[in-house]
Amino acid sequence: MNILAHPLYLAPVPLYARLYASDGIIIDGSSPFVKQTFRNRAVIATENGTQALTIPIVHNGNQAMRDVRISEHGNWRHLHWNAIVSAYRKSPFFDYYADDFAHFYQERDGFLMDFNMRLHAVVCELLGLDRKAVDTPDSAVEELRHIAEPKALATIEGYSPEPYYQVFAARHGFIPNLSIIDLLFNMGPEALITLRDCCRQFR
């Protein structure tokens, strides 16, 4: 069965765990954009705790997700990449994967959905997660559009966070449900094993 979800910015680990247990992902780009969600926000772990990275957008009322444009005001790309480097430069696999992400913060993308989907493709490649992403309806899907809402992460049916190594765990303890880059930079090739362990009952 496929899952139906919104295109998210460096989506949280639970989305990729559920994608691991599925056949593929159907992207919903037609629903209205909603502020303060993972559509344009990712959460990482830093020395001082969690930090939200929010992409500024040009929001014109009740826009469909696929029509939302990225705003280039505020030098956000530079700020996001500096925050990622500061948070993960000491992680075991940052040097292996940094170049795969760095160029996203040097280029300009017109639409948020396109930017998110390009990042998603890179993440899947690095994870070794061969799941197709399409933008077409499908009757046999599991509805996971709610995963874009931060409050939904603690109540996802069938998902159980699996602790993994984190750079600042000694200071903050294990922090679940962060952006997928947290898992990638900390666990490298073993990230896929963590995703498997988070959703054992679905396989």
Side-chain angles (χ1 to χ4, degrees):
M1 177 177 287
N2 291 324
I3 64 173
L4 177 63
H6 291 296
L8 309 180
Y9 173 40
L10 293 173
V13 170
L15 177 67
Y16 286 96
R18 296 301 293 271
L19 184 56
Y20 175 90
S22 74
D23 299 317
I25 183 171
I26 296 174
I27 296 300
D28 175 18
S30 61
S31 294
F33 174 84
V34 179
K35 293 181 179 180
Q36 298 183 343
T37 67
F38 294 121
R39 292 170 178 84
N40 67 321
R41 183 172 66 180
V43 179
I44 62 174
T46 73
E47 186 176 8
N48 297 318
T50 59
Q51 179 179 348
L53 306 177
T54 302
I55 299 175
I57 53 95
V58 180
H59 191 217
N60 297 318
N62 194 31
Q63 276 186 304
M65 176 67 187
R66 63 165 57 94
D67 297 325
V68 174
R69 289 183 175 273
I70 294 174
S71 171
E72 295 301 336
H73 295 294
N75 202 22
W76 71 269
R77 295 178 189 272
H78 175 75
L79 295 175
H80 282 209
W81 183 243
N82 277 0
I84 291 170
V85 171
S86 177
Y88 296 110
R89 62 189 172 192
K90 295 182 180 179
S91 63
F93 295 94
F94 180 77
D95 289 341
Y96 289 91
Y97 299 142
D99 289 345
D100 293 293
F101 293 100
H103 66 92
F104 284 96
Y105 299 92
Q106 299 164 357
E107 304 164 359
R108 292 198 172 198
D109 298 74
F111 291 94
L112 177 63
M113 182 168 169
D114 293 342
F115 182 69
N116 288 352
M117 292 307 299
R118 289 175 58 223
L119 277 168
H120 170 74
V122 168
V123 167
C124 285
E125 181 179 357
L126 296 179
L127 287 171
L129 188 60
D130 185 16
R131 301 290 187 274
K132 294 181 179 179
V134 296
D135 185 15
T136 54
D138 190 322
S139 57
V141 298
E142 179 182 2
E143 170 62 71
L144 281 179
R145 282 179 286 201
H146 66 287
I147 209 169
E149 314 295 329
K151 62 184 180 182
L153 294 183
T155 60
I156 298 172
E157 183 178 355
Y159 168 77
S160 178
E162 181 71 17
Y164 56 87
Y165 171 81
Q166 292 177 331
V167 174
F168 303 110
R171 177 173 297 190
H172 304 297
F174 175 71
I175 303 175
N177 304 332
L178 295 172
S179 166
I180 189 64
I181 61 171
D182 185 83
L183 179 60
L184 269 173
F185 288 146
N186 284 309
M187 297 298 291
E190 294 187 13
L192 204 61
I193 298 174
T194 302
L195 296 181
R196 179 200 65 190
D197 292 344
C198 287
C199 56
R200 287 182 183 275
Q201 66 175 300
F202 292 101
R203 301 304 288 180

